[in-house]
Amino acid sequence: MQKTIHIGSDHRGFSLKNEIIEILKQKNFSVNDVGAFDETNCDAADYALKVAESMKTNPDSLGILICGSGQAMTMTANRFSHIRAALCCNGTMARLARQHNDANVLTIGAHTTGREVALDIVDAFLSAEFLGGRYTPRRDMMSQFGEK
């Protein structure tokens, strides 16, 4: 079985989140949908917190967060020392975020990213692996900042 993907969105990312979930399930990922569960106005930070909490008990899992611009999700998620969230605008950024920084959470702006591009970003993020080697000290340094 593949990694668990914890996914959350606010009301602005709700539609894109549901589309991504269907694709993840087709690819046999285990999906933990933490909400939002409808388009009622809500705060992105609540769902970033839920994904971060879910990932703390499952450190090998990955997360996807979607809000209007992606900024609120990224800023909130990166408050947690075990999270390395990357706001990605294209597949190359997503691939490099995983390979060079061991990003474990992908954030997407539903209002700033077209549907096809968003799906390409998710595919690139999930297909890439951390390269380790010379990138390991950078990853470890980033994680230590959150512990201070």
Side-chain angles (χ1 to χ4, degrees):
M1 178 175 256
Q2 295 196 29
K3 289 186 178 189
T4 298
I5 310 298
H6 305 277
I7 188 166
S9 73
D10 67 359
H11 57 288
R12 290 187 170 102
F14 174 75
S15 178
L16 180 58
K17 177 189 68 136
N18 287 341
E19 190 168 353
I20 291 169
I21 287 172
E22 288 308 311
I23 291 168
L24 293 174
K25 287 180 178 178
Q26 289 171 11
K27 293 183 176 190
N28 295 317
F29 282 98
S30 173
V31 178
N32 174 29
D33 181 1
V34 302
F37 298 110
D38 60 38
E39 292 181 332
T40 303
N41 189 28
C42 59
D43 197 323
D46 292 332
Y47 300 97
L49 172 64
K50 289 179 181 190
V51 165
E53 287 176 341
S54 295
M55 291 179 67
K56 191 156 193 144
T57 59
N58 190 350
D60 293 329
S61 62
L62 297 172
I64 300 175
L65 294 167
I66 308 155
C67 65
S69 69
Q71 295 289 1
M73 291 292 200
T74 307
M75 291 179 190
T76 304
N78 279 327
R79 300 277 182 183
F80 299 87
S81 63
H82 66 286
I83 299 295
R84 292 174 304 280
L87 174 58
C88 297
C89 303
N90 59 54
T92 300
M93 288 178 74
R95 179 177 49 79
L96 292 174
R98 289 279 298 135
Q99 290 178 336
H100 294 188
N101 300 299
D102 199 17
N104 58 2
V105 174
L106 169 66
T107 60
I108 302 173
H111 289 184
T112 59
T113 309
R115 177 192 169 279
E116 291 299 321
V117 173
L119 298 179
D120 181 58
I121 291 168
V122 170
D123 185 58
F125 184 80
L126 297 177
S127 298
E129 293 289 334
F130 180 53
L131 295 175
R134 68 184 178 133
Y135 300 107
T136 300
R138 175 194 304 164
R139 189 250 346 251
D140 294 346
M141 184 187 314
M142 287 187 290
S143 294
Q144 289 173 359
F145 290 152
E147 295 168 2
K148 292 184 178 186

